[in-house]
Every structure is written in structure tokens, then in C-alpha cells.
Amino acid sequence: MDAGQEIALQEQVPNPVHSAPLIIAVKRAINAVRDETQALRADPTADLKRFEYAKSQALLDLSRARSAVPPNAFSSELKADLSEFKGVLEENVGLLRLHMNAVSEVVQMMSRTMIDFDSDGTYQAPFPEPAR
């Protein structure tokens, strides 16, 4: 085997060192999403501003690290972290969806109440007259 073939074979084996920046970014993102999920579970009325910032920062870190690590350099540790991140995100999205649905229901009830309160009855269905 000549030196050119040896180099080509070495490039196909993922090097954990090349994955390191992305591993760090993924772990930070996992922590940011987990923190938000835990806060929502502990207090459904929690202020999510600080978590929004942390998740935005994590997304920026992920984007930067991702551009520095080619897919053929993804180590098995990185692949495992990405799989964990997917699960953490799915849990977070499910919980946020639940909260958004609850907020939507409350808004709909408030809207109906306000419309009923402001209405003079012109467009309401008439009540049946009492029998004589």
C-alpha cells in the first residue's frame, strides 16, 4: 500500500478530536433545553426569557461548530450525543406544545367572554318564548 492510500484510509476513520467542538456545543444545547424543560415541569408559569436566551446561544454555538466539523469526522460519542439531544428536544417540544395549547384555550375562553360581555344581543340566537 502506498502513502496516498494510507492517508485516504485514515481520513475515513472519525477522529474524536475533530468532533470535540461539536460535542461541546451539543452538550451545552442539551443542558440548555433540559434546564427549560425542568423549569416548566417545576413551575408551569415560569418566565422562560433566560431559557430562550440560553437556547439561542446554544443554536449559535451549534451552527458555528457544525460548520467546522465535516460529517465524516463525526465520532461515535458525537453521534450518541446527537441522539440524546434529539430525545431531549422531543420532550421539550411536547411540553411546550402542551403549554401553548393550554394558553390557546384560555385565550379562546377570554375572547368569548369579552364578546359576550360587549354584545347587545343583536346577533345572538333568540331564546325560545315561554309557553302560554
Side-chain angles (χ1 to χ4, degrees), residues 32-73:
V33 174
R34 269 200 184 127
D35 288 347
E36 180 183 59
T37 302
Q38 289 172 351
L40 279 169
R41 287 198 189 288
D43 178 10
T45 62
D47 181 14
L48 301 180
K49 266 301 187 214
R50 70 185 178 108
F51 301 108
E52 179 183 333
Y53 176 78
K55 288 189 340 182
S56 294
Q57 188 63 46
L59 180 60
L60 178 62
D61 292 346
L62 281 170
S63 297
R64 288 178 178 164
R66 173 60 191 93
S67 65
V69 181
N72 64 350

Side-chain angles (χ1 to χ4, degrees), residues 7-121:
I7 291 173
L9 289 176
Q10 288 176 354
E11 289 176 4
Q12 293 176 357
V13 177
N15 183 339
V17 173
H18 292 138
S19 295
L22 192 50
I23 289 171
I24 291 168
V26 170
K27 287 183 190 245
R28 280 188 201 148
I30 288 170
N31 289 333
V33 174
R34 269 200 184 127
D35 288 347
E36 180 183 59
T37 302
Q38 289 172 351
L40 279 169
R41 287 198 189 288
D43 178 10
T45 62
D47 181 14
L48 301 180
K49 266 301 187 214
R50 70 185 178 108
F51 301 108
E52 179 183 333
Y53 176 78
K55 288 189 340 182
S56 294
Q57 188 63 46
L59 180 60
L60 178 62
D61 292 346
L62 281 170
S63 297
R64 288 178 178 164
R66 173 60 191 93
S67 65
V69 181
N72 64 350
F74 284 15
S75 67
S76 57
E77 180 184 0
L78 175 58
K79 290 175 184 176
D81 287 343
L82 287 170
S83 178
E84 179 183 359
F85 187 39
K86 180 182 177 190
V88 168
L89 282 172
E90 287 171 349
E91 179 184 8
N92 183 261
V93 167
L95 190 56
L96 288 172
R97 184 174 289 126
L98 181 69
H99 283 268
M100 292 302 296
N101 288 342
V103 168
S104 179
E105 287 179 29
V106 169
V107 167
Q108 287 175 3
M109 284 191 307
M110 290 175 65
S111 295
R112 275 185 259 140
T113 301
M114 291 170 62
I115 289 169
D116 291 346
F117 180 76
D118 288 340
S119 174
D120 64 359

